[in-house]
Amino acid sequence: MSDFDTVRAETRAAVEQAADPAALEAVRVAVLGRKGAVTDLMKNLATLAPDARRAYGAAVNALKDELTQLIETRRAELGDAALAQRLTSETVDLSLPARPEAQGRLHPISQTIDEVIAIFGEMGFSVAEGPDIEDDFHNFTALNFPEGHPARDMHDTFYLPDAADGRKLLLRTHTSPVQVRTMMNQTPPIRVIIPGRTYRSDSDQTHTPMFHQVEGLVIDETTHMGHLKGCLAEFAQAYFEVEHVPLRFRPSFFPFTEPSAEVDIGCSRKGGELKIGAGDDWLEILGCGMVHPNVLRHCGVDPGRYQGFAFGMGIERIAMLKYGIPDLRTFFDADLRWLRHYGFVPLDIPSLITGLAR
Ligand code: PHE
């Protein structure tokens, strides 16, 4: 056997036996490295007659190319095998249940907002949002609260230092300013709900300085009070998960709606236990009305053509009613024991199809 054949045969055997990239690299160095077998063959060049050198050199180079190719092919094979091995050993079983040690709970406020969104989403509403720091125009003026009107004082507003451009800044006292932002940025038909934080300088057993509302706004050419009532009835039934919830509209006043109403739902308080939907008692849950033409005008919407309704509901209030939470202030205590008791499993996403809450 020539030296060439020996090197070729030994290299083939060694490459085949190399079980991992490190072993293969050792073979490469032993064959092609500076002190390797092929380099040794090349050294014989000096001992040859000049006219034999060219053919010999070409033969060594051809062998070198052949063995390089052999090693690279094997390297690719080993890489594929390693990848295949990793893919089988590192698979994730997506059908496994959630980790049992997951202790986190969703706050009842988050849960309630998700439920409200699921219900109105099914009715074709989308969600809009606005900033917590508002200005006087969006929170009051555009909503038809005239300058110096007593209704402004009823809101117990937290004022902030004026903005650089002179705007009077405040923490929004309701989610209604997002009605204004929505109407200024969209053209009717509009159908949105607006959940979010609201602020009033008020603190007692039934009031906290920060609380949550969800606003509803529908604007098109024909929507009337009947639609408002139907929409709220549908909501009350879906949210409280009872067949029929009696609704009572009491005349009220808001500067930004005309006519305005406060809405009560029927309930019973027999034996100290609150039951929604039955009995002869009433519970107030929201304020609403037909959007005032002045508001439409302030937002660049033509009141000769468009009309619609708005409503605003307290999130904490409807959460307390549905989940039997007796004290408003506990919502904001960040007490883990309370959260574990009243909280919700985050992976149970409310939907009208799979159920609102489990
Ligand atoms: N913004 C009112 C409040 O906070 C509620 C409301 C919203 C009333 C929309 C009518 C229409 O009391």
Side-chain angles (χ1 to χ4, degrees):
M1 228 198 275
S2 75
D3 290 351
F4 278 52
D5 290 339
T6 310
V7 170
R8 181 183 287 115
E10 285 177 1
T11 305
R12 264 187 205 289
V15 164
E16 239 159 68
Q17 273 172 26
D20 56 56
L24 185 65
E25 178 61 10
V27 175
R28 190 192 67 79
V29 171
V31 178
L32 303 171
R34 247 189 311 143
K35 292 177 183 153
V38 171
T39 315
D40 281 347
L41 288 175
M42 200 54 110
K43 282 180 188 151
N44 294 335
L45 211 56
T47 67
L48 295 176
D51 52 348
R53 283 183 191 173
R54 178 186 288 269
Y56 184 84
V60 176
N61 276 332
L63 179 66
K64 186 178 174 186
D65 288 348
E66 179 190 332
L67 298 181
T68 303
Q69 184 61 46
L70 192 70
I71 290 168
E72 289 315 312
T73 305
R74 180 70 179 149
R75 198 193 300 284
E77 276 169 21
L78 288 175
D80 287 352
L83 181 62
Q85 156 80 20
R86 267 186 68 192
L87 286 176
T88 45
S89 69
E90 292 178 13
T91 47
V92 176
D93 183 352
L94 294 176
S95 67
L96 286 174
R99 295 225 307 270
E101 69 269 29
Q103 292 282 314
R105 286 289 178 273
L106 267 194
H107 196 284
I109 289 178
S110 306
Q111 170 75 17
T112 303
I113 290 174
D114 289 348
E115 291 182 28
V116 171
I117 290 174
I119 296 166
F120 283 104
E122 197 80 2
M123 289 190 234
F125 284 70
S126 50
V127 175
E129 284 181 316
D132 289 16
I133 296 178
E134 264 297 0
D135 54 34
D136 183 83
F137 173 77
H138 291 91
N139 198 81
F140 290 128
T141 310
L143 289 167
N144 199 35
F145 288 78
E147 212 78 58
H149 191 281
R152 288 194 183 210
D153 304 333
M154 284 166 54
H155 275 221
D156 302 309
T157 312
F158 285 112
Y159 284 98
L160 300 168
D162 290 354
D165 58 10
R167 279 178 308 133
K168 237 186 182 16
L169 296 182
L170 46 83
L171 294 177
R172 67 179 178 192
T173 57
H174 48 178
T175 41
S176 302
V178 192
Q179 283 189 37
V180 175
R181 292 181 178 276
T182 305
M183 286 189 274
M184 289 182 127
N185 290 314
Q186 295 181 23
T187 41
I190 292 171
R191 204 181 287 161
V192 292
I193 52 166
I194 304 148
R197 292 192 180 94
T198 48
Y199 306 82
R200 291 184 199 181
S201 177
D202 201 353
S203 186
D204 60 34
Q205 215 164 3
T206 54
H207 297 88
T208 49
M210 190 277 292
F211 58 104
H212 297 74
Q213 290 188 335
V214 61
E215 191 90 4
L217 176 70
V218 173
I219 302 288
D220 59 25
E221 297 185 0
T222 54
T223 289
H224 54 66
M225 286 286 279
H227 296 125
L228 169 61
K229 185 163 188 184
C231 179
L232 294 176
E234 182 73 32
F235 166 76
Q237 268 145 251
Y239 177 75
F240 290 108
E241 300 178 276
V242 288
E243 275 288 308
H244 178 66
V245 184
L247 286 189
R248 181 172 76 172
F249 279 57
R250 274 179 297 106
S252 184
F253 173 80
F254 302 103
F256 39 95
T257 46
E258 181 60 36
S260 304
E262 270 163 331
V263 175
D264 302 337
I265 53 174
C267 65
S268 111
R269 289 192 178 90
K270 268 209 200 87
E273 200 204 340
L274 180 70
K275 259 214 184 94
I276 306 290
D280 46 16
D281 229 335
W282 297 98
L283 245 171
E284 182 189 326
I285 59 160
L286 60 88
C288 63
M290 298 302 293
V291 176
H292 197 292
N294 285 348
V295 177
L296 296 174
R297 233 171 257 128
H298 276 127
C299 300
V301 175
D302 175 9
R305 177 165 176 203
Y306 294 111
Q307 60 184 40
F309 65 72
F311 60 84
M313 192 158 48
I315 297 281
E316 284 83 354
R317 187 170 182 95
I318 62 167
M320 288 166 80
L321 290 175
K322 180 166 177 180
Y323 294 113
I325 304 172
D327 187 342
L328 170 70
R329 290 172 294 192
T330 57
F331 277 81
F332 309 108
D333 283 345
D335 183 335
L336 262 183
R337 293 163 306 171
W338 185 90
L339 272 169
R340 287 198 183 109
H341 182 76
Y342 287 112
F344 293 82
V345 178
L347 291 170
D348 290 342
I349 299 187
S351 114
L352 287 182
I353 295 145
T354 59
L356 288 179
R358 269 175 277 172

